[in-house]
Amino acid sequence: MKKLLVLALALILALGSFAALAEAVDPATIEDNMTSEDGTYEIAFVTDVGDLKDKSFNEGTYNGVKLYAAEHGLSYKYYQPANGSQATDDDRYDAMKAAADAGAKVIVCAGFMQGSALAKAAAEFTDVKFIFIDGWKFDDLPNVVGVAFKEEQCGYLAGYAVVKDGYEELGFSGGGGGTNPACCRYGYGFIQGANDAAKEMGKTVNIKFSWAYGASFSASAELQTLISGWYESGTEIVFACGGPMFDSITAAASANDGAVIGVDSDQSFQSDTVVISALKGVKEATYTVIGKAFDGSWDEMDGAITLGINEDAVGLPVDTWQLEGFTVEDYEAMVEDMKAGKLVPDGDAPEGDPNVKGPWDNVTVDYVE
């Protein structure tokens, strides 16, 4: 227990000190493609599905890679598995192998779908350290650290905030087909927050909830049509939880005067339909854990870390939100309650239909398959 407390404190300090760097250096000013003089690249990033510059999960993770590499004078490169959204485990393994063959000392892999390929690559390239963002622990692979987040916490805060702001007809469209643990936690927390806010206000709110057209996280005409139908039938705001799916959902919102909740990073800069985003610090976590791969403290993580509100790794962007009925003071008080253990959203999210763990007193969840 003492070791875990020391590690948690170290992570809090590391994430806190990183904030100063993040303010001083804009990752956009660091080139995405660098040329190594000797042809080797010490830090590699293997992307999740979607574009590198997705303004969300991939880009946030790569920003952490670039920032660490730039500060420490290290070479870096990104690798996108072949076949895009249809990439197979073999495609992902090939990208990791290419990174290892090019001299990578650390390979950062983004997204839960990397798991099988990462296990194979890590067993083969035992001298390489693998950082598995949105991942988990491999007991037999000490060169892997899984980095998970308490998405239920920021999902809860987003759901609570928008209901307090007056929204009563909500939507959630998630990626991963209902099997991605991170998206499941986001959605499950969102329901809990909306329910608790509605209970305090003495009302009932409705949530359309679906993984339809989100298995590959891709934007699609079918997804846009689905969400347009939601807005046309009265939905006021939709939580766009799935990387490139954001483009389809904001297009539907723009056409129907609807609102959107962004995910992972502050997406208000991408669309004026975004009133708030549920944030998690993939950039900060990536930067911090890469540091542990180089400073000799890798083994302290014991194969996995989980970051949440206590590490300032999840939250809401108070500087850019478009809320009037929920104040920054209210938000900060809830954050303190979470940190003190007075408010504990359930993170044991079910796959697929969230009604498996319902029903809720003040929320009706319409699961749309």
Side-chain angles (χ1 to χ4, degrees):
M1 179 61 72
K2 182 177 180 181
K3 177 181 178 182
L4 292 174
L5 291 173
V6 171
L7 174 59
L9 178 59
L11 286 167
I12 292 170
L13 293 173
L15 289 165
S17 63
F18 180 83
L21 172 70
E23 291 177 2
V25 180
D26 180 359
T29 65
I30 305 172
E31 60 181 337
D32 294 324
N33 298 289
M34 72 163 296
T35 300
S36 168
E37 292 183 1
D38 64 1
T40 65
Y41 295 89
E42 295 157 292
I43 307 176
F45 172 51
V46 178
T47 69
D48 194 10
V49 293
D51 297 330
L52 174 71
K53 309 295 283 188
D54 62 0
K55 305 296 184 184
S56 187
F57 187 60
N58 275 330
E59 186 168 350
T61 306
Y62 194 45
N63 283 343
V65 170
K66 293 195 300 179
L67 284 164
Y68 188 91
E71 183 187 3
H72 294 86
L74 300 171
S75 56
Y76 60 93
K77 185 176 181 177
Y78 74 89
Y79 298 78
Q80 291 186 290
N83 297 310
S85 63
Q86 303 303 313
T88 65
D89 288 340
D90 286 341
D91 294 327
R92 298 182 182 97
Y93 166 79
D94 288 344
M96 296 174 202
K97 183 178 186 303
D101 289 344
K105 298 175 182 177
V106 175
I107 299 177
V108 179
C109 303
F112 81 114
M113 289 188 288
Q114 307 267 19
S116 296
L118 187 152
K120 178 180 177 181
E124 180 176 348
F125 301 103
T126 56
D127 291 336
V128 178
K129 291 182 170 61
F130 289 80
I131 299 171
F132 188 11
I133 304 295
D134 270 3
W136 52 87
K137 180 177 181 177
F138 292 87
D139 289 327
D140 56 345
L141 295 171
N143 58 328
V144 178
V145 165
V147 180
F149 297 85
K150 296 183 179 180
E151 291 91 355
E152 71 277 5
Q153 293 178 332
C154 53
Y156 179 101
L157 291 166
Y160 185 95
V162 297
V163 171
K164 282 290 187 177
D165 203 50
Y167 291 95
E168 297 183 356
E169 298 294 331
L170 318 180
F172 174 88
S173 180
T179 62
N180 176 1
C183 287
C184 289
R185 289 191 292 268
Y186 269 128
Y188 190 47
F190 181 64
I191 293 170
Q192 294 173 68
N195 181 75
D196 286 355
K199 185 181 297 185
E200 291 177 10
M201 300 170 75
K203 62 170 64 173
T204 298
V205 301
N206 302 304
I207 302 178
K208 291 186 182 298
F209 194 104
S210 183
W211 306 105
Y213 311 117
S216 68
F217 297 86
S218 300
S220 68
E222 293 82 4
L223 176 60
Q224 185 173 334
T225 298
L226 172 72
I227 303 303
S228 289
W230 287 8
Y231 285 123
E232 290 167 4
S233 64
T235 297
E236 300 164 314
I237 188 166
V238 175
F239 189 177
C241 187
M245 294 168 61
F246 175 84
D247 293 334
S248 294
I249 294 169
T250 53
S254 295
N256 293 279
D257 196 26
V260 173
I261 300 167
V263 75
D264 289 343
S265 61
D266 184 355
Q267 296 188 301
S268 63
F269 303 101
Q270 295 176 253
S271 171
D272 58 12
T273 65
V274 176
V275 300
I276 197 166
S277 299
L279 307 180
K280 68 180 184 183
V282 290
K283 175 180 66 177
E284 294 83 353
T286 300
Y287 178 97
T288 300
V289 180
I290 291 173
K292 291 185 171 295
F294 286 102
D295 69 9
S297 60
W298 179 266
D299 291 341
E300 293 177 5
M301 294 180 286
D302 193 28
I305 58 170
T306 300
L307 304 173
I309 205 80
N310 286 92
E311 295 78 32
D312 296 321
V314 300
L316 303 179
V318 298
D319 292 335
T320 60
W321 75 22
Q322 300 180 47
L323 301 177
E324 298 178 358
F326 184 64
T327 69
V328 173
E329 291 75 19
D330 292 336
Y331 167 72
E332 290 175 344
M334 293 190 70
V335 168
E336 290 307 311
D337 283 345
M338 280 191 182
K339 289 184 175 182
K342 298 177 182 178
L343 175 59
V344 184
D346 183 2
D348 185 20
E351 293 187 349
D353 187 354
N355 288 308
V356 170
K357 297 190 72 173
W360 292 268
D361 295 332
N362 293 77
V363 166
T364 298
V365 179
D366 177 15
Y367 181 54
V368 181
E369 297 187 73

